[in-house]
Amino acid sequence: MEENVDNKVKFTEREVDLNGYLGLEARYTDNHRLHGNSLVLRQSSDEARITEGFTKEENFVVQRSRLLYIENSLIVGQIGGEHRWDFLGNLETNWLWTRANAGRKAPNERSFRFDQIPNGGGDFFLSRRAGNNEINFSDLNDDDESFRFDVKLPLEFHQNFQLALQSGFINRTKSRDSEIRRFTFSPRGPDARRQDVLGLGSLEKILVPEFIGPNGFQLRESTQATDNSTATQDLFSYYGQGDLNLFEKVRITGGLRVEDNDQQVKTFELFNPDRSPAIAKLVKKDVLPSVAAIWTISDKQQLRASYAKTVSRPDFREFSSAPFIDPETDRITIGNPDLQQVDITHYDVRWEYYFSPNESMSIGGFWKTLKNPIELILLPGAAGVLTLQNAQTADVYGIEVELMKHLDFIHPRLRHVFVSTNYTLSLIHISEPTRPY
């Protein structure tokens, strides 16, 4: 991915946050606990941003402006229980029901572009390119509901041989509705091509009644065929796990998790309801083993090792062909309906030494292999639009050193002063994805 060069960014942002939390708990003896909580988050932000610079595809300065007001909201409710049944051999059962709703509204988002064209005397002129003068209205709504149940049975055959068996499942359903409407003042008449009009310096001077009409700019809807979509995901997971302790020296935990995923995104044309929607599907069942071991070498040191398989799935917006603004790059990104999930294998080993209960150092190594890792790709053209593509494989490996130590060994008066540091060295090798162009 090639980045724009020599960009200067000026922005002003105002933000208002409103948060609320309520938690309730009830107990019946020491063996039974019921709990519930609710969380409300609301965030409103108002941003004005001007980005000025040039790209390698253009030899003149480009000035992009964006006015954006966003309302984000999150409402979460949970009800759960924790129970221990003495008459069943101290069997433990836990359950949790969760319901969440998230929303994002961006009314009246405005983006426009001015170009400092050659031989223009250093002035900026409103760009007449398609997509460079837009007013957008977007509304996104997510619903997420899940139920989880876990059961654990401790078994003690001998004081030096303890085993705990655990199993459970989680059933999760997610849905999303995304709507976008786009409008643009399209240059249609001779006034919209006059350099003295385009060079007035601001939209407030250009888009005035004098230049709006048959001889100038006309307000047109420019909603794209991929701007509206619905999405669903049904994920059912179940697992079995064993936790074995031997002679208080060795602990081995291993298990198997099965994930049955059915994910679907439908992208449809708002003004062509008779046309069949574009459907992207990701339906797959995965068997994911894991095992971890801890060897307590002494009272002060132990050795850990683990192996696990996990998956990472594209989210709804990455799986749809609709464009979106990536919050990390702040650039237009187009999803890819052909994305595959990422299969990850983890190998980890770590040695730990404890100077005291709250002082330690550790040295570890890790290696991760990824199949179908998802990468950002820069599409050709001057707009700097990104998309997502699966690479073939990737390897991530490295070492990590961590230290937490009080300084009382230097002087007793430094017993409340400590040093905490972490150093990680990682190397990444990625095979090139198949280019979509």
Side-chain angles (χ1 to χ4, degrees), residues 27-191:
R27 288 183 178 271
Y28 176 69
T29 71
D30 293 334
N31 291 347
H32 301 279
R33 172 179 174 263
L34 297 176
H35 58 89
N37 61 75
S38 61
L39 174 69
V40 178
L41 303 177
R42 182 176 175 85
Q43 180 191 72
S44 300
S45 64
D46 192 5
E47 179 187 286
R49 178 183 294 264
I50 299 176
T51 303
E52 185 176 309
F54 62 91
T55 67
K56 292 184 177 180
E57 291 81 9
E58 298 166 315
N59 60 354
F60 53 85
V61 177
V62 174
Q63 185 184 84
R64 291 186 173 91
S65 301
R66 188 175 72 177
L67 304 175
L68 179 61
Y69 173 76
I70 300 177
E71 295 178 356
N72 292 314
S73 63
L74 174 64
I75 302 174
V76 182
Q78 289 185 321
I79 300 175
E82 301 172 2
H83 311 276
R84 186 172 73 244
W85 311 94
D86 295 338
F87 66 94
L88 294 176
N90 292 325
L91 179 74
E92 297 178 11
T93 57
N94 300 326
W95 57 275
L96 181 66
W97 173 83
T98 303
R99 178 71 184 271
N101 174 265
R104 180 187 185 276
K105 297 181 183 293
N108 199 23
E109 175 188 354
R110 300 185 65 183
S111 59
F112 48 91
R113 166 177 163 170
F114 282 80
D115 296 336
Q116 192 182 52
I117 61 176
N119 303 321
D123 295 329
F124 284 89
F125 296 81
L126 178 65
S127 175
R128 295 189 294 116
R129 299 187 182 191
N132 287 307
N133 172 21
E134 282 193 342
I135 305 171
N136 301 335
F137 299 83
S138 62
D139 188 0
L140 184 145
N141 186 76
D142 279 354
D143 284 307
D144 189 340
E145 184 174 8
S146 66
F147 179 77
R148 176 170 186 163
F149 183 82
D150 299 281
V151 58
K152 181 178 180 180
L153 179 63
L155 301 172
E156 185 171 345
F157 302 100
H158 187 270
Q159 63 177 1
N160 293 325
F161 186 87
Q162 299 171 346
L163 176 66
L165 301 177
Q166 188 170 340
S167 183
F169 71 88
I170 180 170
N171 187 33
R172 187 177 186 184
T173 301
K174 297 172 62 177
S175 64
R176 168 175 290 185
D177 292 312
S178 178
E179 302 176 11
I180 302 176
R181 298 287 294 272
R182 302 176 188 268
F183 301 88
T184 184
F185 280 97
S186 178
R188 294 292 174 175
D191 287 343

Side-chain angles (χ1 to χ4, degrees), residues 336 338-340 372-380 387-393 430-437:
N336 183 355
D338 296 321
L339 285 179
Q340 301 296 314
N372 302 320
I374 298 174
E375 295 292 313
L376 279 173
I377 302 296
L378 179 65
L379 292 175
T387 189
L388 299 138
Q389 192 81 1
N390 286 110
Q392 295 180 1
T393 59
I430 304 175
S431 65
E432 286 294 323
T434 303
R435 298 284 177 169
Y437 47 85

Side-chain angles (χ1 to χ4, degrees), residues 197-381:
V197 174
L198 298 176
L200 288 174
S202 69
L203 286 185
E204 289 75 13
K205 296 179 180 179
I206 299 173
L207 298 179
V208 296
E210 179 183 354
F211 304 126
I212 295 177
N215 294 325
F217 296 91
Q218 297 180 18
L219 183 63
R220 299 290 183 91
E221 178 150 5
S222 55
T223 301
Q224 302 176 15
T226 58
D227 277 340
N228 294 269
S229 63
T230 61
T232 60
Q233 182 183 24
D234 294 308
L235 177 61
F236 183 73
S237 306
Y238 52 95
Y239 74 96
Q241 176 180 299
D243 189 352
L244 177 65
N245 280 278
L246 297 173
F247 302 96
E248 298 183 351
K249 288 287 187 180
V250 177
R251 181 179 179 182
I252 301 174
T253 303
L256 199 66
R257 180 182 181 90
V258 179
E259 296 189 355
D260 192 352
N261 180 64
D262 187 343
Q263 189 172 335
Q264 179 175 276
V265 177
K266 292 183 179 179
T267 306
F268 57 91
E269 293 189 41
L270 187 63
F271 301 110
N272 192 1
D274 296 331
R275 184 172 182 176
S276 299
I279 301 177
K281 287 187 176 182
L282 181 58
V283 180
K284 192 175 181 183
K285 178 181 286 188
D286 295 283
V287 179
L288 307 171
S290 66
V291 62
I294 302 175
W295 175 28
T296 303
I297 303 172
S298 67
D299 293 339
K300 291 184 174 291
Q301 57 180 322
Q302 60 185 15
L303 184 66
R304 298 174 181 263
S306 65
Y307 160 84
K309 284 191 173 183
T310 61
V311 298
S312 176
R313 302 181 180 92
D315 61 26
F316 287 147
R317 67 178 183 179
E318 295 174 338
F319 207 40
S320 170
S321 53
F324 62 92
I325 300 294
D326 191 311
E328 294 185 2
T329 62
D330 195 39
R331 292 166 67 174
I332 298 176
T333 304
I334 300 176
N336 183 355
D338 296 321
L339 285 179
Q340 301 296 314
Q341 74 177 27
V342 185
D343 299 314
I344 310 171
T345 304
H346 308 257
Y347 305 90
D348 296 271
V349 62
R350 186 173 65 186
W351 173 75
E352 299 174 347
Y353 186 86
Y354 294 88
F355 304 101
S356 69
N358 57 359
E359 296 175 301
S360 65
M361 68 170 293
S362 65
I363 302 174
F366 57 88
W367 177 31
K368 304 179 190 297
T369 62
L370 293 82
K371 181 182 178 182
N372 302 320
I374 298 174
E375 295 292 313
L376 279 173
I377 302 296
L378 179 65
L379 292 175

